[in-house]
Amino acid sequence: MMKRREFLKHAITVVAGLSLPLAALRIVQPERLFAGQEDLRWIFLVDTHKCVGCGFCVRACKIENEIPYDANVTRTWVERYVVTTDGETFADTPIGARDGFTDRRIDLGEGKFKEIKDEEIEKAFFVPKLCNQCDNPPCVQVCPVGATYRVPDGVVLVDRDWCIGCGYCIMGCPYGVRFFHPVYRVAEKCNFCYHRITKGLKAACVDACPFGARLIGNARDPNDPVTKTVLAGRVGVLKDEYGTKPWVYYLGLSKEVR
Amino acid sequence: MRNHVWRPLYLIIAVIALILLVRTLVVPEDFGSHESGYMYGWHRKGNEAEWQQVKVKYQTSAYCKDCHREMYDSIGKSPHGIIPCEDCHGPGAGHLDNPAKLPIDRSRQLCLRCHAQLPSPSSGRSAIRGIDPAGHNPEAECSLCHNPHNPTLEELP
């Protein structure tokens, strides 16, 4: 039998041990203090007024990033929104708009189409979508093996050798930008064309856009045109309420866009 | 303590030791929590370089300028000057190994990406002249009548 005094002593030790802050157990890594590029943070700006829905960005992205061309998966896509005078919203993105929008009817899926008369259209526009390279990426938080991570310059990458293909990140992304790569059978996502931006080039979709609807820049550079627009302009982000802190900004967002 | 306590305990310790051993053998050296911290930084450092090594395919129009000066200048004066060459001709990587291989896409689909008439009052699409794909000379390729590098309507038959 344990004495009461002894029991209390043990209990205090255990509680104190449990409440030891996890931080105290962290191994000190000196390189963490010195690394990190404080002078570079990639930022993206989409001007929905300028987008015409030609889909050249989607095509360029698929070819540049070796996403099987005829598989119905893509790192970036363009959505068409049509709002009628009755206040109804229709949206479609046939094969991610890889071949653009050439049909005036809305693609409802399963071979069904919706014809909307010109005079019934209140507004209609195109919204390109891509990975938001969030500051708080939920897709990274849920990865059980450390196969996806954020680089100090902000881009979220996936390690194809390390990924086990469990699919948590695909479920976890509120923007739906992740998918299974049909060839590598691992999670796949937009990474702002990491191989291009690290060489001083622009992302393939940015270079492919004839209208300047897609721009990429460095948020740490106060003279960067994108940074200037985001600071001065009336810009918005998608699903701000999720707290993911996205870095893809939009000009001309509308409440219908989800 | 008695034997029936120690024996399973030894087993558990052995299993843990084995797991730790396998872990050090399997997990690469550069795996760990890097600059982005414990929450977002766990990864294999070498993977960053792997992504940087992906081959660049799209070279941008500036790359075509020196060899195809004539095309570059003529399209530059037309409203199509804003369209990168590679949007219509495909990526330029590998073109110099086999110049003839760069495809010439003469399909109507290419032009219809921008010129199919769509009611899109709240976007830049409304500033591009649209045609009805089924009604505007549907039997012929667009480039039969229009010069894609200089699509002026003045000299048309």
Side-chain angles (χ1 to χ4, degrees):
Chain A
M1 271 300 282
M2 205 186 272
K3 282 204 207 98
R4 188 151 124 186
R5 171 180 302 224
E6 229 172 293
F7 170 76
L8 282 175
K9 247 168 137 183
H10 286 312
I12 287 168
T13 321
V14 168
V15 169
L18 283 178
S19 59
L20 191 72
L22 261 181
L25 297 172
R26 275 191 194 172
I27 309 146
V28 178
Q29 285 173 313
E31 68 267 31
R32 266 188 66 202
L33 301 176
F34 304 112
Q37 294 152 295
E38 284 307 312
D39 52 348
L40 179 62
R41 207 308 170 194
W42 297 107
I43 182 171
F44 205 97
L45 179 65
V46 177
D47 189 341
T48 60
H49 297 295
K50 288 183 178 159
C51 181
V52 307
C54 67
F56 279 130
C57 51
V58 179
R59 184 174 111 130
C61 172
K62 291 197 90 164
I63 295 172
E64 181 73 26
N65 293 297
E66 296 163 36
I67 309 298
Y69 199 65
D70 291 317
N72 193 9
V73 289
T74 173
R75 288 179 171 198
T76 184
W77 67 97
V78 181
E79 293 171 356
R80 164 170 63 181
Y81 286 84
V82 177
V83 183
T84 65
T85 44
D86 301 339
E88 242 188 307
T89 303
F90 296 92
D92 70 345
T93 173
I95 52 169
R98 183 197 73 187
D99 299 336
F101 291 88
T102 53
D103 194 331
R104 46 166 298 135
R105 299 171 303 166
I106 304 288
D107 187 345
L108 299 174
E110 292 162 355
K112 290 202 204 76
F113 294 90
K114 167 92 181 163
E115 177 83 50
I116 305 174
K117 291 199 202 78
D118 281 12
E119 57 272 21
E120 284 170 9
I121 293 176
E122 176 82 41
K123 52 182 171 180
F125 51 90
F126 305 94
V127 181
K129 295 267 181 88
L130 68 163
C131 175
N132 284 289
Q133 319 293 356
C134 305
D135 261 352
N136 298 330
C139 57
V140 175
Q141 289 176 28
V142 299
C143 181
V145 296
T148 183
Y149 56 97
R150 203 183 63 212
V151 187
D153 60 18
V155 176
V156 174
L157 296 176
V158 181
D159 187 338
R160 279 183 181 161
D161 291 339
W162 212 239
C163 176
I164 55 172
C166 71
Y168 284 162
C169 56
I170 298 172
M171 315 282 283
C173 173
Y175 305 100
V177 302
R178 285 185 174 237
F179 57 93
F180 267 113
H181 194 294
V183 174
Y184 299 104
R185 308 227 136 255
V186 295
E188 177 73 22
K189 70 181 282 295
C190 156
N191 55 21
F192 282 180
C193 284
Y194 203 61
H195 61 294
R196 292 176 70 91
I197 57 178
T198 48
K199 287 188 187 76
L201 296 163
K202 297 203 163 70
C205 61
V206 175
D207 274 337
C209 182
F211 304 97
R214 290 169 170 258
L215 299 171
I216 189 165
N218 174 11
R220 300 272 182 268
D221 176 2
N223 294 318
D224 189 293
V226 174
T227 309
K228 275 182 168 167
T229 311
V230 169
L231 285 177
R234 283 171 289 171
V235 291
V237 291
L238 296 172
K239 299 184 178 163
D240 197 18
E241 68 278 13
Y242 281 62
T244 51
K245 301 212 180 102
W247 281 82
V248 175
Y249 286 85
Y250 284 86
L251 279 164
L253 268 192
S254 171
K255 66 176 189 307
E256 292 82 12
V257 180
R258 290 165 300 236
Chain B
M1 265 186 274
R2 270 156 293 180
N3 246 357
H4 74 274
V5 175
W6 278 118
R7 255 186 265 143
L9 212 59
Y10 282 141
L11 188 70
I12 290 169
I13 290 168
V15 168
I16 291 174
L18 188 71
I19 289 172
L20 287 175
L21 183 75
V22 170
R23 190 184 175 280
T24 49
L25 292 179
V26 170
V27 175
E29 195 124 325
D30 58 347
F31 186 88
S33 102
H34 297 287
E35 295 96 328
S36 300
Y38 264 50
M39 184 83 97
Y40 304 117
W42 280 104
H43 68 289
R44 194 166 57 85
K45 192 77 183 155
N47 183 243
E48 292 173 28
E50 283 167 26
W51 276 113
Q52 292 179 17
Q53 278 150 21
V54 174
K55 188 164 170 261
V56 171
K57 285 114 194 150
Y58 280 81
Q59 313 285 329
T60 75
S61 300
Y63 172 79
C64 323
K65 185 163 78 177
D66 292 337
C67 301
H68 299 287
R69 188 91 225 179
E70 214 178 300
M71 295 292 174
Y72 190 88
D73 289 345
S74 79
I75 201 170
K77 290 193 204 89
S78 85
H80 278 182
I82 53 171
I83 313 173
C85 312
E86 288 167 302
D87 276 2
C88 295
H89 291 294
H95 174 45
L96 301 187
D97 306 334
N98 184 2
K101 230 185 78 192
L102 206 65
I104 296 186
D105 181 359
R106 292 189 176 85
S107 70
R108 290 172 63 89
Q109 208 59 33
L110 177 74
C111 314
L112 292 176
R113 282 168 173 263
C114 293
H115 287 292
Q117 178 97 57
L118 292 184
S120 197
S122 346
S123 84
R125 184 73 169 234
S126 52
I128 302 177
R129 266 175 274 188
I131 50 146
D132 172 14
H136 187 85
N137 310 301
E139 67 294 331
E141 287 162 350
C142 316
S143 53
L144 187 73
C145 305
H146 301 288
N147 178 355
H149 299 133
N150 187 14
T152 164
L153 293 175
E154 273 156 30
E155 299 146 30
L156 285 180

